[in-house]
């Protein structure tokens, strides 16, 4: 594999070629799938490629990690069996008495885990309103806060947090900045370049893009003791992404740039079409000039604003549920970032503790013909 040879090429090129992959023996241009659960040692009884056992991750996992690390510009990447297992491994490195700050409106699974840690392990969490000036800074406790977790834009209101400013605030308090970039893959946002210490992705979403695996990723700016500790947790928990899923992820990432471009242009067309629509109270999409976070989004999202947007139904909660069930092209399912468009009545998915508006419909816009998508929403609204 000619890794390093193509460091000057763009992310789109490196992804399409899986880092100019060529098998060193027979020249295959696609890596194989290596599912072995144990690895033989060499003549000196040393591991042949750092691998001893299946819980360390497979050679196919390594391959997928190299690609992701290269396009994020990191010092290392690790893949997990799901986004949540990556999050759990990262948070497992915190001790009782440590503090973590995160936005009120964020991925509900992460918030659920933070609350669980607060209850079970004595790790304190503060949730701040990211739309309130100064709230992020006020949530930090210098010397005690170990991590500031952000999403930008935040799911599912798509409020924009300035990654560089959040990093400065975190570092001033002695904390690390962790950026959940699930909805902003590295073809549009490289959070490490804005100062983030660790980037997280639910690779289930845009990175893979075909709704056929669950996977999580962490990419680090520095390969120090914290990174080693996260790897130790992954080995002990057995949550490295297995070979077949890693292989699917490599295949999915080849088309990431193209998919993201199309999702972004489709979502922009839908947002513009429904802004001011009589049956829609508001369109939440950072790509719109009218969005309060548009200027920062434009700085951080270099190749499109992505396929995620939310619509607030003018007729309230029942109206929102009716729209979701009347769609014939959008599929009524959770998740995001796939080639197929999804619509969900978010509060029904998050349950009674949700902080999401009851009339909010979250759309994950795919790569279909945008005229079909707009016509589908129009007939559902009619
Ligand atoms: C889906 C998602 C996660 C969790 O990832 P899984 O792969 O579902 O475990 C975390 N953050 C965001 C923003 C997500 O959309």
């Amino acid at each position: 594999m000619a890794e390093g040879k193509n460091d000057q090429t763009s992310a789109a090129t490196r992804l399409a070629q899986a880092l100019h992959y060529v098998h060193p023996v027979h020249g295959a241009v696609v890596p194989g799938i290596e599912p072995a659960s144990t690895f033989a040692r060499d003549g000196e009884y040393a591991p042949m490629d750092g691998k001893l056992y299946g819980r360390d991750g497979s050679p196919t996992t390594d391959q997928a990690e190299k690609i992701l690390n290269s396009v994020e510009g990191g010092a290392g990447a690790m893949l997990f069996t799901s986004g949540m297992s990556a999050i759990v491994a990262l948070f497992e490195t915190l001790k009782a008495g440590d503090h973590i700050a995160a936005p009120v409106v964020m991925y509900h699974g992460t918030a659920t885990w933070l609350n669980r840690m607060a209850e079970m392990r004595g790790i304190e969490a503060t949730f701040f309103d990211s739309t309130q000036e100064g709230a992020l800074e006020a949530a930090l406790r210098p010397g005690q806060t170990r991590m500031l977790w952000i999403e930008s834009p935040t799911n599912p209101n798509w409020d924009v947090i300035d990654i560089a400013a959040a990093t400065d605030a975190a570092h001033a308090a002695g904390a690390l900045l962790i950026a959940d970039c699930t909805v902003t893959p590295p073809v549009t946002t490289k959070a490490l370049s804005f100062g983030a210490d660790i980037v997280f992705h639910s690779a289930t979403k845009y990175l893979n893009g075909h709704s056929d695996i669950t996977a999580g990723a962490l990419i680090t700016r520095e390969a120090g003791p914290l990174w080693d500790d996260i790897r130790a947790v992954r080995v002990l928990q057995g949550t490295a992404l297995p070979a077949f899923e890693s292989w699917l992820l490599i295949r999915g990432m080849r088309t990431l740039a193209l998919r993201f471009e199309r999702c972004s242009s489709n979502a922009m067309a839908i947002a513009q079409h429904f802004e001011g629509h009589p049956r829609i109270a508001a369109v939440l999409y950072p790509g719109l000039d009218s969005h309060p976070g548009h200027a920062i989004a434009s700085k951080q999202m270099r190749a499109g604003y992505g396929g995620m947007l939310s619509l607030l139904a003018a007729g309230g909660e029942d109206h929102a549920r009716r729209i979701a069930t009347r769609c014939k092209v959008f599929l009524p399912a959770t998740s995001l970032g796939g080639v197929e468009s999804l619509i969900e009545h978010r509060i029904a998915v998050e349950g009674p503790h949700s902080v999401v508006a009851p009339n909010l419909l979250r759309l994950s816009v795919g790569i279909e013909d945008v005229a079909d998508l707009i016509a589908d929403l129009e007939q559902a609204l009619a």
Side-chain angles (χ1 to χ4, degrees):
M1 172 157 148
E3 217 206 325
K5 183 166 131 190
N6 294 315
D7 282 355
Q8 302 309 312
T9 58
S10 73
T13 302
R14 277 180 269 168
L15 290 165
Q17 299 191 341
L19 298 185
H20 206 72
Y21 182 84
V22 177
H23 191 282
V25 177
H26 47 60
V29 300
V30 174
I33 304 173
E34 301 278 6
S37 67
T38 190
F39 297 83
R41 292 164 178 258
D42 65 14
E44 323 278 69
Y45 208 68
M48 293 169 72
D49 191 25
K51 293 263 174 296
L52 295 173
Y53 186 54
R55 262 193 285 114
D56 304 334
S58 75
T60 321
T61 320
D62 294 352
Q63 203 69 44
E65 288 170 348
K66 273 184 202 157
I67 297 165
L68 189 55
N69 186 52
S70 168
V71 295
E72 290 279 9
M78 260 188 263
L79 287 166
F80 296 80
T81 50
S82 70
M84 283 311 302
S85 65
I87 289 171
V88 168
L90 175 71
F91 291 167
E92 189 62 30
T93 65
L94 297 171
K95 301 186 299 293
D98 285 344
H99 175 251
I100 182 161
V104 175
V105 178
M106 68 186 302
Y107 180 70
H108 70 119
T110 317
T112 303
W113 196 261
L114 287 172
N115 284 318
R116 185 186 156 88
M117 289 199 308
E119 203 178 301
M120 313 277 285
R121 290 179 51 211
I123 292 157
E124 293 176 63
T126 302
F127 296 94
F128 58 87
D129 178 352
S130 64
T131 64
Q132 224 45 47
E133 180 89 33
L136 179 152
E137 291 78 4
L140 299 168
R141 301 181 192 163
Q144 191 196 356
T145 307
R146 292 274 315 279
M147 294 176 188
L148 168 58
W149 178 279
I150 61 164
E151 291 177 18
S152 185
T154 62
N155 177 26
N157 288 358
W158 318 116
D159 301 318
V160 180
I161 298 176
D162 187 323
I163 302 170
T167 301
D168 288 346
H171 290 177
L176 297 175
L177 191 283
I178 320 292
D180 179 342
C181 289
T182 298
V183 301
T184 54
V187 288
T188 200
T189 301
K190 292 185 188 7
L192 298 178
S193 75
F194 294 103
D197 297 289
I198 292 180
V199 173
F200 162 83
H201 292 277
S202 166
T204 310
K205 317 289 172 56
Y206 282 104
L207 292 180
N208 182 56
H210 293 76
S211 307
D212 51 12
I213 61 168
T214 65
L218 296 174
I219 303 96
T220 188
R221 152 191 304 292
E222 251 176 54
L226 175 70
W227 192 244
D228 294 341
D229 196 21
I230 298 169
R231 186 178 302 281
V233 172
R234 189 180 72 160
V235 172
L236 292 168
Q237 291 184 322
T239 52
L241 190 67
F244 181 58
E245 284 75 6
S246 299
W247 185 84
L248 281 173
L249 179 59
I250 292 169
R251 186 161 91 159
M253 288 194 294
R254 286 182 184 254
T255 56
L256 174 61
L258 200 56
R259 285 186 284 106
F260 195 76
E261 202 179 298
R262 176 66 170 243
C263 291
S264 296
S265 65
N266 279 358
M268 182 68 100
I270 291 170
Q272 286 170 344
H273 181 91
F274 289 98
E275 195 176 30
H277 190 287
R279 292 202 163 90
I280 295 296
V283 176
L284 312 179
Y285 187 60
L288 291 174
D289 291 339
S290 59
H291 189 283
H294 181 66
I296 297 166
S298 301
K299 184 182 79 165
Q300 293 177 177
M301 301 169 88
R302 298 276 170 80
Y305 302 94
M308 297 309 298
L309 71 139
S310 295
L311 303 175
L312 300 184
E317 181 167 357
D318 290 346
H319 185 210
R321 195 168 30 246
R322 272 203 312 280
I323 296 167
T325 54
R326 276 190 197 151
C327 282
K328 294 171 180 153
V329 178
F330 278 85
L331 296 161
T334 192
S335 197
L336 63 95
V339 289
E340 67 288 298
S341 291
L342 307 177
I343 185 166
E344 76 176 332
H345 184 214
R346 191 68 196 161
I347 201 162
V349 177
E350 294 196 8
H353 303 296
S354 176
V355 293
V356 170
N359 62 338
L360 183 142
L361 288 165
R362 192 182 83 173
L363 272 51
S364 171
V365 179
I367 66 166
E368 302 94 332
D369 186 327
V370 73
D372 290 335
L373 298 176
I374 291 175
D376 190 39
L377 290 168
E378 280 286 5
Q379 67 79 29
L381 283 167

